[in-house]
Amino acid sequence: MSTSLNIGIRMAWRNLWRHKRRTWLTIGAMIFSNLLLVFLISLQFGSYRMMIDNTLKTYTGHLQVQHKEYNDNPKIRNSFQDIVPLADKVRKQLGSAGITAWVAARGVAFAMTSSEQRSYGLQIIGVEPQYEVNVSTLPGLVNKGRYFTDFNAEEIVIGSVLARNLRVDIGDELTLLGSGRDGSFAAGVVIVTGIFDSGNADVDRSMAQLPLGYFQSLFSMGGQGHNIVINAEDLTLVSALQNEVSSILGEREELSLLDWNRLQPGLQQAIQADMASAWFMYIILIVLVAFSVLNTQLMSVLERTREFGIMMALGLKPARLGTLVFTETFIMSSLGLAIGAALGTALAWYLSIVGFTYPGMEEMAGKFNLPDRIYPTLSLLSIFLGPGIVFLCSLLASLYPALRLFFLQPVSAMRAV
Amino acid sequence: MTSIVCKDLCKTFQQGDETIIGLDNVSITIERGDFVCLSGPSGSGKTTLLNAMGGLDTPDSGEITIGDVRIDELGKGPLADMRLHNIGFVFQAYNLIPVLTARENVEFVMQVGGMSAAERSKRSFKILKEVGLEGMEDRRPAHLSGGQQQRVAVARAIVSQPTLVLADEPTANLDTVTSSQLMDLLVELNQHHNITFVIATHDIRVMKYAKRLIKMEDGKIISDEAQSQSPIPLGEG
Ligand SMILES: Nc1ncnc2c1ncn2[C@@H]1O[C@H](COP(=O)(O)OP(=O)(O)OP(=O)(O)O)[C@@H](O)[C@H]1O
Ligand SMILES: [Mg+2]
């Protein structure tokens, strides 16, 4: 037995095991809630990541270069010069800096689209066919016909809902009517080469893509375009990539570089709202654990009243006794934290490899073109956030039993049985 | 040199509408190194007086001086320090911290007093040997007999070399033989260390050990006599 170990700590440790079952039950509650919290929070982070990835990969991307007016005022006029050469330059320089990223230029315009029978207003996106496939999942969602390959082809890819509305199919012609960048009349005829089904009815109804070269001539864009989409390998690498790209853009003052959060502010808000509702549940769990600690420590203080009275008679001050109770809670909570976080991490880690799914999920995933499994994301935050709060709340809960000791009178305490 | 001076101590307890007299104008002076027994029927105020002397409870009125400190005027904190450093207590039973070994029980108060681990260890071994518990240092109270437990309590009470040790019925839970062994020990420690002992007891055999025997009744001292220590030899009584 080591004599160097403080007697107070030894005492706290042994006190815990005077009621083995009660102590283990309390630690068990901590372990259970910590395990659950690590699992749920990792899963939550994983699903946010998936949600962000899915949303951004459909269209927005991680970063966009735009004319600095464009984000607030997305008019066709707010475009910038030499978009294709600039996209090439960014692509090359990132490549030679050894940074993995995907870059594609786009133009955006509106047009009336007519088949023989009907007309609809549409958002028309001009894309670099060769590069668009890297930054967006949309080309891959073409399930009828094909995506285009030629930069200048007079072809269009439309959504499934629109195709149904216009009553057109692959090979049919559509007429586009709109106004060009300079206000001139823009008109053209294109052939439907592909129909995509993104699962998002809104997108499938109101968006269509043209090759960028044809787009530029149709809308009198010259060499101009509206945005360059840049995707990083992973969401966590976006801010580093942003720094790199902004140094490449350097001298072009009319441009701004926006990250996904600026481009899709609703996404972050949706995540925060979901986070708030999840935390409501977590807090209930944490409060339950805190009460179980409060109960245990209150009982353990009450049943030791006589012992505390003797210690006070010997000259110990209430703060010292309070420290003892606090130390006991600290040990219990540390065990709960260590074991719970370890088990939770193991579970989340396993699921981050094999994926997590529940009955009905695959069916839903199939419908909405989502992955059929969620992969929990483990990070220091997802491991220690929940258990850390449980730990602090447990310590807080033991404050009440510890503070009661300040009102103890040695004589009356010793009369207790 | 005086060890304790009590002047006009009064203490009452309220129990419902009833006022119970604990101490009724008690005054005594106890010299350093004395060995005093407080006797008297149950409810006569022995414990109340000991508690007041030890600063565990404050009297309603009167003065208590230990050494040259008026302990009735001390606040809770300084009073606790006073008990830690200058007063030792031995109670009737279940005196010890059950989760600590004999040695740890003795060392605990020294650690609280801020003594180094090496010094603590040296002293606790020495004192436990002195009270006859050599080889039992690492036993917990549950593995010690009642008499052995009281010896640990005595060791703990004297280890910080207090000026005063107060014992409230220390032999109440012990058999005759063990009682007289414990009393022999207290007498010996009283002589070796020049520590003042004040012992409250019902037990006539314990009273025989006193150099001074004080009798109480209804919260008052009714007699106070010096006597020669004449323990009843082992095996009689
Ligand atoms: N906390 C208390 N509340 C109410 N009355 C008390 C309290 N403490 C002591 N008394 C009363 O004060 C009187 C003196 O009690 P005290 O404990 O000093 O007697 P004692 O001589 O030690 O008795 P015993 O030999 O039984 O231990 C008794 O009548 C007792 O009932
Ligand atoms: Mg008594």
Side-chain angles (χ1 to χ4, degrees):
Chain A
M1 192 199 306
S2 98
T3 30
S4 61
L5 190 66
N6 186 299
I7 295 178
I9 293 173
R10 258 184 277 170
M11 197 154 90
W13 173 257
R14 291 179 200 162
N15 277 333
L16 283 180
W17 307 115
R18 281 162 94 164
H19 293 271
K20 274 205 187 74
R21 188 170 13 170
R22 186 173 74 194
T23 300
W24 272 122
L25 278 174
T26 311
I27 296 177
M30 291 179 188
I31 292 176
F32 175 73
S33 64
N34 285 341
L35 184 146
L36 207 62
L37 284 171
V38 172
F39 167 69
L40 288 175
I41 292 175
S42 300
L43 193 67
Q44 200 182 356
F45 284 4
S47 70
Y48 293 155
R49 196 195 178 88
M50 196 174 88
M51 180 168 144
I52 293 169
D53 269 2
N54 280 324
T55 311
L56 301 182
K57 274 183 187 152
T58 317
Y59 180 66
T60 314
H62 291 149
L63 293 170
Q64 283 190 16
V65 180
Q66 301 179 341
H67 186 276
K68 61 175 184 262
E69 305 277 323
Y70 186 84
N71 199 41
D72 294 328
N73 191 11
K75 290 253 166 67
I76 191 166
R77 239 177 305 112
N78 290 327
S79 57
F80 56 93
Q81 277 298 341
D82 301 327
I83 188 167
V84 173
L86 181 62
D88 276 335
K89 181 180 158 194
V90 171
R91 204 175 285 125
K92 282 214 184 73
Q93 293 202 10
L94 287 178
S96 59
I99 296 167
T100 314
W102 294 272
V103 181
R106 287 175 185 160
V108 182
F110 286 87
M112 282 301 286
T113 313
S114 314
S115 62
E116 285 178 359
Q117 302 170 31
R118 294 173 182 223
S119 301
Y120 289 96
L122 271 195
Q123 187 183 39
I124 307 283
I125 315 290
V127 299
E128 296 181 283
Q130 180 188 356
Y131 299 116
E132 184 67 18
V133 296
N134 299 328
V135 298
S136 161
T137 50
L138 209 86
L141 295 169
V142 170
N143 56 12
K144 220 167 174 194
R146 59 171 175 81
Y147 201 64
F148 23 65
T149 47
D150 182 350
F151 187 70
N152 292 306
E154 297 176 10
E155 297 173 342
I156 192 165
V157 168
I158 62 177
S160 55
V161 178
L162 184 68
R164 211 176 324 122
N165 291 346
L166 289 170
R167 310 216 169 123
V168 293
D169 212 336
I170 305 298
D172 290 346
E173 280 185 354
L174 288 179
T175 312
L176 300 176
L177 291 177
S179 56
R181 184 177 184 279
D182 52 2
S184 65
F185 186 64
V189 175
V190 287
I191 294 175
V192 177
T193 59
I195 294 172
F196 61 81
D197 193 352
S198 72
N200 180 337
D202 242 16
V203 172
D204 293 350
R205 183 188 303 117
S206 59
M207 197 238 257
Q209 297 194 344
L210 302 178
L212 185 59
Y214 175 64
F215 176 95
Q216 284 173 330
S217 70
L218 179 64
F219 292 99
S220 314
M221 298 288 296
Q224 306 213 11
H226 294 97
N227 48 57
I228 297 175
V229 179
I230 305 165
N231 275 359
E233 226 176 341
D234 187 281
L235 207 57
T236 55
L237 303 172
V238 171
S239 66
L241 180 65
Q242 186 170 16
N243 290 335
E244 197 67 30
V245 174
S246 86
S247 78
I248 296 173
L249 296 177
E251 66 280 17
R252 302 264 313 242
E253 299 225 320
E254 82 276 23
L255 300 180
S256 61
L257 179 63
L258 304 178
D259 66 8
W260 61 272
N261 203 13
R262 290 281 305 281
L263 298 164
Q264 288 264 357
L267 199 54
Q268 192 82 323
Q269 278 160 19
I271 287 173
Q272 269 154 9
D274 184 80
M275 197 101 109
S277 67
W279 273 100
F280 182 73
M281 209 183 79
Y282 299 163
I283 284 168
I284 291 175
L285 192 67
I286 290 167
V287 166
L288 286 178
V289 175
F291 268 101
S292 118
V293 173
L294 177 65
N295 179 49
T296 304
Q297 288 306 71
L298 198 57
M299 256 162 74
S300 107
V301 166
L302 288 177
E303 71 200 8
R304 281 185 287 166
T305 302
R306 192 193 144 81
E307 209 172 307
F308 285 127
I310 298 239
M311 288 197 261
M312 286 181 92
L314 295 178
L316 266 76
K317 293 178 187 165
R320 189 95 188 185
L321 305 180
T323 308
L324 178 67
V325 173
F326 211 62
T327 309
E328 290 167 14
T329 316
F330 186 87
I331 296 172
M332 269 200 298
S333 311
S334 304
L335 283 174
L337 177 91
I339 302 173
L343 292 178
T345 304
L347 177 64
W349 177 78
Y350 173 73
L351 292 174
S352 76
I353 293 169
V354 304
F356 175 74
T357 181
Y358 48 85
M361 185 172 169
E362 280 183 45
E363 198 183 326
M364 222 167 67
K367 235 189 219 154
F368 295 105
N369 182 42
L370 292 170
D372 57 2
R373 274 157 195 272
I374 304 177
Y375 294 85
T377 305
L378 269 179
S379 62
L380 279 181
L381 192 67
S382 75
I383 294 172
F384 288 111
L385 184 63
I389 293 174
V390 168
F391 185 80
L392 289 179
C393 288
S394 303
L395 289 186
L396 273 181
S398 75
L399 227 50
Y400 172 66
L403 288 178
R404 277 181 65 104
L405 295 169
F406 282 81
F407 300 97
L408 214 59
Q409 301 293 333
V411 173
S412 49
M414 280 190 298
R415 291 168 75 96
V417 274
Chain B
M1 198 175 64
T2 57
S3 183
I4 319 174
V5 180
C6 298
K7 240 171 95 180
D8 302 327
L9 294 184
C10 290
K11 175 89 187 176
T12 55
F13 298 98
Q14 210 63 41
Q15 202 154 53
D17 294 339
E18 223 182 329
T19 304
I20 301 164
I21 294 174
L23 294 176
D24 186 1
N25 270 296
V26 172
S27 297
I28 45 171
T29 300
I30 294 170
E31 301 297 323
R32 176 92 199 240
D34 210 342
F35 198 96
V36 180
C37 275
L38 290 179
S39 67
S42 186
S44 57
K46 305 181 293 291
T47 300
T48 311
L49 181 58
L50 277 192
N51 286 348
M53 284 176 173
L56 288 177
D57 210 357
T58 42
D60 298 336
S61 64
E63 297 173 7
I64 308 164
T65 311
I66 295 183
D68 46 14
V69 182
R70 277 283 299 275
I71 67 162
D72 55 299
E73 290 177 338
L74 291 179
K76 272 188 174 182
L79 206 51
D81 286 331
M82 181 84 195
R83 292 197 297 269
L84 184 63
H85 296 292
N86 299 312
I87 306 172
F89 287 96
V90 180
F91 302 102
Q92 183 172 332
Y94 309 112
N95 262 305
L96 303 176
I97 301 167
V99 293
L100 297 184
T101 64
R103 187 159 68 90
E104 287 165 342
N105 261 288
V106 173
E107 285 191 28
F108 186 52
V109 280
M110 290 189 275
Q111 182 188 301
V112 174
M115 197 179 286
S116 78
E119 180 68 17
R120 281 193 327 246
S121 165
K122 207 178 85 187
R123 283 210 199 179
S124 62
F125 271 106
K126 183 160 168 274
I127 204 84
L128 284 170
K129 187 173 172 190
E130 197 171 343
V131 300
L133 291 176
E134 203 177 3
M136 299 181 206
E137 294 90 348
D138 288 330
R139 290 204 202 168
R140 296 218 194 154
H143 299 287
L144 292 170
S145 71
Q148 289 165 340
Q149 288 180 28
Q150 286 306 69
R151 282 162 189 266
V152 178
V154 169
R156 184 181 63 186
I158 62 170
V159 73
S160 359
Q161 295 168 328
T163 49
L164 173 64
V165 170
L166 303 172
D168 196 354
E169 323 248 7
T171 60
N173 282 24
L174 304 181
D175 62 57
T176 318
V177 177
T178 321
S179 291
S180 29
Q181 284 171 344
L182 186 75
M183 290 313 295
D184 287 336
L185 173 67
L186 294 187
V187 169
E188 199 181 299
L189 294 171
N190 170 249
Q191 285 160 1
H192 274 171
H193 297 269
N194 196 31
I195 295 172
T196 315
F197 280 84
V198 180
I199 299 164
T201 186
H202 285 293
D203 191 336
I204 299 171
R205 284 169 308 227
V206 170
M207 295 173 206
K208 302 271 185 196
Y209 287 83
K211 291 186 198 163
R212 179 177 170 190
L213 182 63
I214 296 175
K215 286 192 177 135
M216 297 186 71
E217 221 174 281
D218 297 330
K220 287 195 275 280
I221 293 176
I222 54 162
S223 85
D224 182 349
E225 295 163 356
Q227 63 173 32
S228 60
Q229 286 177 305
S230 54
I232 296 166
L234 274 181
E236 274 178 48

